[in-house]
Amino acid sequence: MSDRLLLESIARLVPTGARVLDLGCGDGALLAHLRQHHGCSGYGVEIDDAKVQLCLRRGINVLQLNLEDGLAMFEDDSFDLVLQIDTLQHLRNTEVMLRETARVGRAAIVAFPNFAHWPNRLRVLQGRMPVTKRLPYQWYDTPNIRVGTYTDFEVLAQRLGLHVSDCFGLHEGRELRWAPNWRASTAVFKLLKG
C-alpha cells in the first residue's frame, strides 16, 4: 500500500497488540507500520513474487498464497483482526473470501476503491471509464476484475450475516461519514461476526 494517508487511516482502526492477518499485503508497508507503531504481530498473504521479497526485506512474516484457494490453513478465530485493503476488487469469489475472513478473524477491516465516488460517476456519464488516483488504470490494463460501491458492500455484508460495527468513506486522508457513497474515493468497513 503506497498511499501513506490510506495506511495511516486504516492503522488508526487497529487495536494495539492485535494479532493481524493482512490479505493481499503487497509490500508489507501496513504490517510494518502496525508492528512498529501498534505493537501488532501476524502474517501477510501475497501472491506476487516481487512483493513477497519486499515483505521479507522488511522482516514481515509473509505467506505466498493465492487467496482464491481460501484460507484452509488457518483455524477458526486465529487472528484478532483480518485486513483486506484493496484486495476484494482483485478476487473472483468475493463472498467466499469474506466468509473465510469472518471465520479466521474475530473482526475485519475491508477497504476498497469506491466506484460510486462522484468523479467516477461523472466520467461514466461522459461515456468513459474513470482513471483516478484510486483507480489508476485504463479499463484494458487494470488488475481489478470488479468494481464496487460503498452502498453495494453494505448490502453484501448484511446478506452474509456480517455485523458492520463502523463504516465510513475516505478521501485524501479525511474520514467522510456523511454521504460517503457519493463523496469518498475509498470505502472502509469494520466488520464483526453477526
Side-chain angles (χ1 to χ4, degrees):
M1 177 187 316
S2 59
D3 184 349
R4 182 51 101 197
L5 293 174
L6 179 59
L7 181 147
E8 290 171 0
S9 296
I10 298 301
R12 285 195 302 266
L13 301 172
V14 177
T16 300
R19 184 164 158 78
V20 176
L21 178 64
D22 187 356
L23 301 176
C25 67
D27 64 6
L30 179 56
L31 278 172
H33 179 88
L34 293 174
R35 183 181 60 200
Q36 181 178 356
H37 298 286
H38 293 259
C40 294
S41 62
Y43 292 89
V45 175
E46 180 57 54
I47 194 168
D48 182 271
D49 292 334
K51 291 177 181 175
V52 167
Q53 290 302 315
L54 290 170
C55 287
L56 293 172
R57 281 190 214 120
R58 287 190 162 156
I60 298 300
N61 296 320
V62 62
L63 302 169
Q64 188 169 24
L65 300 171
N66 183 343
L67 292 176
E68 299 289 358
D69 297 334
L71 301 174
M73 76 288 306
F74 297 112
E75 299 288 326
D76 294 0
D77 297 323
S78 295
F79 297 91
D80 300 315
L81 185 67
V82 178
L83 301 172
Q84 282 195 46
I85 312 303
D86 289 347
T87 303
L88 282 183
Q89 69 269 20
H90 302 284
L91 299 174
R92 294 199 182 286
N93 203 334
T94 302
E95 292 179 50
V96 170
M97 188 47 58
L98 286 171
R99 284 189 188 103
E100 281 287 273
T101 295
R103 182 184 66 75
V104 303
R106 290 184 263 294
I109 298 172
V110 177
F112 56 90
N114 177 30
F115 197 73
H117 186 216
W118 74 266
N120 298 340
R121 294 177 189 212
L122 180 60
R123 191 73 171 147
V124 170
L125 282 173
Q126 294 169 336
R128 302 289 309 273
M129 288 297 287
V131 177
T132 66
K133 187 175 178 182
R134 289 293 288 136
L135 293 166
Y137 301 96
Q138 294 290 337
W139 67 270
Y140 52 83
D141 70 354
T142 182
N144 299 328
I145 61 171
R146 71 182 76 253
V147 291
T149 73
Y150 183 98
T151 301
D152 287 333
F153 189 84
E154 285 179 309
V155 172
L156 178 60
Q158 181 179 25
R159 203 180 95 209
L160 295 177
L162 301 172
H163 172 71
V164 176
S165 66
D166 193 12
C167 57
F168 53 90
L170 285 174
H171 188 66
E172 296 179 355
R174 293 184 333 263
E175 274 188 26
L176 302 171
R177 293 190 178 267
W178 178 77
N181 197 49
W182 177 259
R183 298 174 56 223
S185 57
T186 300
V188 181
F189 289 83
K190 188 163 187 182
L191 306 171
L192 303 173
K193 293 179 186 179

